[in-house]
């Protein structure tokens, strides 16, 4: 079936199998490979992207379900001049990553979290990121990064 | 992992969905948010030939105040339930429990109708609608019918819905000011409940204590007979058939049910 999805502002059309998952559309069709496939079972959150502005696990969405929608991956966060998104800057500054595998999904989940709750408490950040696993167990710095990004956006 | 091949059909309306599943009967599955069905399809535990996507049927996404009850469209997402001011005011048990389902990403996709129709006894919302004595509305080729939540669950992943019927709405009577509580025991944040308890006043329902969600009838009877919370909670496992899995055996689940029912009754009466 023909599917058209606006990915990071660019309309992408692809002829896919009905069973194609959004994450494969992004990685194989759109050639945007920052979005990782971790557990494949809706648990780890590595494949998290924004679908019409809200975090979803793209391993558990059919490309057909996203037909006509807008998707943002971590590649789409930086400005046109390459300036990093405040969340990316905060992850860098607070060392919110170790091996980096969970990072694209973690960043997208965090962006969605702050959109819904711009001033979260530390506990709200921890609960808000419960759908994302970091197997390096680097959670402390990740939570610190999200709080720093929230503070920066508040000051901006 | 990707699902086995299937044909994707997109429903444009609730009636269109009924026509589409009617054409394919047992071979078709309805897809709402997909967060129960797609994982099963990836594991080949479900291999439908046709998937009917009702995700765009906006007419099925609503929360309406009907006076003495609240009507909730089947496609209303957990995220919407969790953030509804109407539910927070009138049905705080449902709003709170919806916020405990899965994780934020799951709640952005998963729907109340999908969760109820899937019939997983480990899911949170089936026990909640049992405790709230909700009525489920189904639409089929011969029209609409109402099914009491108490009559909806027939067995493991088995409901009163016919293969050509679509769950369209949940009607929940407004409880008369009684306290409520939702208890969910998990090992990790995003897991299904090993055991869960939904309490609204003296109505108590259990998650994952048998092949279907259950009312804790022995507890309710004891409360009606004037038993203390402590004594009534001791009867939480009566009449249940708790499963054994990697997380817990039946004896531990029975213990959890007694403890969680006590906590639920204490909290709902506080």
């Amino acid at each position: 079936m023909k599917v058209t999805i606006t990915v990071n502002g660019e309309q992408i059309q692809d002829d896919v199998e009905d069973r194609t998952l959004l994450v494969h559309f992004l990685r194989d069709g759109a050639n945007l490979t920052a979005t990782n496939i971790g557990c494949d079972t809706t648990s780890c959150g590595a494949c998290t992207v924004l679908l019409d502005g809200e975090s979803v696990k793209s391993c558990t969405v059919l490309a057909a379900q996203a037909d006509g929608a807008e998707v943002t991956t971590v590649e789409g966060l930086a400005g046109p001049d390459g300036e990093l998104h405040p969340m990316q800057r905060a992850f860098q500054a607070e060392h919110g990553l170790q091996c980096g595998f969970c990072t694209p999904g973690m960043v997208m989940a965090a962006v969605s979290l702050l959109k819904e709750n711009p001033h979260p408490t530390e506990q709200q950040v921890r609960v808000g990121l419960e759908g994302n696993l970091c197997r390096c167990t680097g959670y402390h710095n990740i939570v610190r990064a999200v709080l720093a990004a929230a503070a920066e956006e508040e000051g901006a | 992992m990707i699902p086995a091949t299937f044909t994707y059909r997109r429903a444009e309306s609730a009636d269109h969905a009924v026509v589409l599943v009617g054409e394919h009967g047992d071979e078709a599955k309805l897809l709402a948010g997909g967060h129960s069905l797609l994982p099963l399809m990836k594991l080949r535990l479900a291999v439908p030939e046709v998937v009917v996507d009702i995700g765009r049927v906006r007419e099925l996404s609503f929360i309406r105040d009907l006076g003495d009850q609240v009507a909730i469209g089947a496609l209303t997402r957990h995220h919407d339930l969790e953030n509804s001011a109407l539910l927070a005011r009138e049905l705080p048990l449902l709003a709170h429990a919806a916020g405990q389902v899965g994780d934020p990403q799951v709640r952005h996709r998963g729907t109340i109708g999908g969760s109820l129709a899937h019939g997983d006894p480990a899911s949170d919302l089936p026990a909640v609608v049992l405790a709230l004595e909700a009525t489920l509305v189904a639409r089929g080729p011969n029209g609409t019918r109402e099914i009491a939540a108490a009559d909806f669950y027939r067995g493991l992943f088995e409901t009163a819905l016919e293969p050509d019927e679509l769950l369209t709405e949940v009607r929940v009577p407004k409880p008369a000011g009684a306290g409520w509580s939702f208890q969910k025991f998990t090992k990790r944040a995003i897991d299904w409940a090993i055991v869960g308890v939904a309490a609204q006043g003296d109505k108590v329902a259990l998650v994952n204590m048998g092949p279907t969600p259950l009312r804790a009838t022995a507890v309710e009877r004891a409360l009606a007979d004037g038993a203390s919370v402590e004594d009534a909670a001791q009867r939480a496992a009566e009449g249940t058939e708790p499963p054994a899995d990697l997380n817990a055996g039946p004896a531990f689940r029975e213990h959890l049910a007694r403890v969680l029912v006590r906590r639920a009754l204490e909290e709902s009466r506080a």
Side-chain angles (χ1 to χ4, degrees):
Chain A
M1 66 178 298
K2 278 211 165 44
V3 172
T4 306
I5 303 175
T6 302
V7 184
N8 301 333
E10 189 188 335
Q11 229 181 50
I12 295 179
Q13 195 179 64
D14 202 359
D15 200 357
V16 300
E17 277 192 80
D18 289 9
R19 60 178 172 164
T20 303
L21 300 166
L22 177 58
V23 71
H24 292 126
F25 180 96
L26 295 171
R27 289 179 57 88
D28 305 336
N31 207 22
L32 293 168
T33 53
T35 303
N36 285 322
I37 301 172
C39 70
D40 238 335
T41 58
T42 337
S43 302
C44 78
C47 65
T48 299
V49 300
L50 303 187
L51 178 61
D52 287 333
E54 295 175 320
S55 60
V56 302
K57 295 182 176 178
S58 59
C59 79
T60 309
V61 178
L62 297 173
Q65 289 177 288
D67 186 20
E70 291 198 12
V71 169
T72 308
T73 70
V74 77
E75 289 103 328
L77 280 186
D81 52 357
E83 193 196 346
L84 293 181
H85 184 279
M87 189 63 73
Q88 293 173 303
R89 277 206 303 276
F91 266 69
Q92 189 179 54
E94 301 295 329
H95 203 71
L97 66 157
Q98 291 181 38
C99 84
F101 189 85
C102 73
T103 312
M106 202 63 90
V107 167
M108 299 316 287
V111 167
S112 181
L113 169 68
L114 289 196
K115 213 167 162 183
E116 290 173 11
N117 181 2
H119 310 296
T121 63
E122 183 189 327
Q123 183 59 21
Q124 285 170 331
V125 172
R126 289 186 185 277
V127 173
L129 294 179
E130 67 186 346
N132 293 74
L133 303 180
C134 166
R135 290 298 74 179
C136 308
T137 70
Y139 294 106
H140 284 300
N141 286 357
I142 290 169
V143 172
R144 220 170 278 159
V146 177
L147 290 170
E152 187 190 325
E153 289 188 21
E154 190 174 11
Chain B
M1 288 190 296
I2 52 173
T5 51
F6 60 83
T7 301
Y8 173 89
R9 303 292 304 270
R10 188 175 292 156
E12 306 297 339
S13 67
D15 287 336
H16 187 216
V18 172
V19 170
L20 288 176
V21 289
E23 282 173 15
H24 302 285
D26 261 349
E27 308 303 333
K29 286 295 275 181
L30 288 160
L31 177 75
H35 275 53
S36 299
L37 182 58
L38 289 176
L40 290 185
M41 288 172 62
K42 291 205 286 185
L43 294 167
R44 304 297 203 271
L45 295 173
V47 191
E49 286 177 15
V50 177
V51 168
V52 176
D53 182 5
I54 56 171
R56 288 154 205 257
V57 182
R58 300 307 303 163
E59 65 187 282
L60 294 181
S61 176
F62 58 82
I63 304 174
R64 286 185 198 128
D65 193 334
L66 300 184
D68 57 354
Q69 54 183 353
V70 178
I72 301 164
L75 268 184
T76 310
R77 304 174 306 160
H78 304 309
H79 176 76
D80 304 320
L81 301 172
E82 180 186 1
N83 291 294
S84 157
L86 173 61
L87 289 190
R89 192 170 65 242
E90 302 294 350
L91 296 168
L93 167 60
L94 178 57
H96 173 80
Q100 305 297 306
V101 175
D103 56 51
Q105 291 96 315
V106 169
R107 296 194 291 273
H108 284 146
R109 297 293 297 168
T111 66
I112 184 171
S115 175
L116 296 180
H118 185 53
D120 184 343
S123 292
D124 300 316
L125 299 190
V128 171
V129 298
L130 267 187
L132 289 169
E133 300 190 324
T135 299
L136 283 65
V137 184
R139 193 180 303 182
N142 302 317
T144 293
R145 68 184 177 117
E146 296 186 358
I147 308 162
D151 301 326
F152 190 71
Y153 291 102
R154 299 285 169 85
L156 192 64
F157 296 104
E158 194 188 335
T159 71
L161 288 173
E162 299 294 334
D164 56 0
E165 277 184 317
L166 167 69
L167 179 63
T168 56
E169 187 176 330
V170 186
R171 291 195 191 131
V172 190
K174 291 182 184 173
W180 60 274
S181 177
F182 185 70
Q183 302 286 329
K184 181 173 180 177
F185 188 86
T186 59
K187 278 191 180 157
R188 298 173 308 179
I190 61 171
D191 282 343
W192 275 265
I194 295 174
V195 173
V197 175
Q200 179 72 52
D202 287 349
K203 297 179 189 110
V204 183
L206 303 170
V207 178
N208 218 1
M209 282 296 287
T212 67
L214 298 167
R215 283 283 284 272
T217 45
V219 174
E220 295 177 350
R221 261 201 316 272
L223 289 173
D225 291 342
S228 67
V229 163
E230 187 81 28
D231 290 344
Q234 282 306 311
R235 310 191 56 182
E238 283 181 26
T240 65
E241 299 170 62
D245 58 25
L246 286 175
N247 284 317
F252 182 43
R253 281 199 160 84
E254 289 175 6
H255 170 74
L256 285 173
R258 288 188 286 267
V259 171
L260 296 175
V261 165
R262 177 174 53 73
R263 288 182 190 169
L265 291 173
E266 283 171 356
E267 186 177 68
S268 69
R269 286 156 180 243

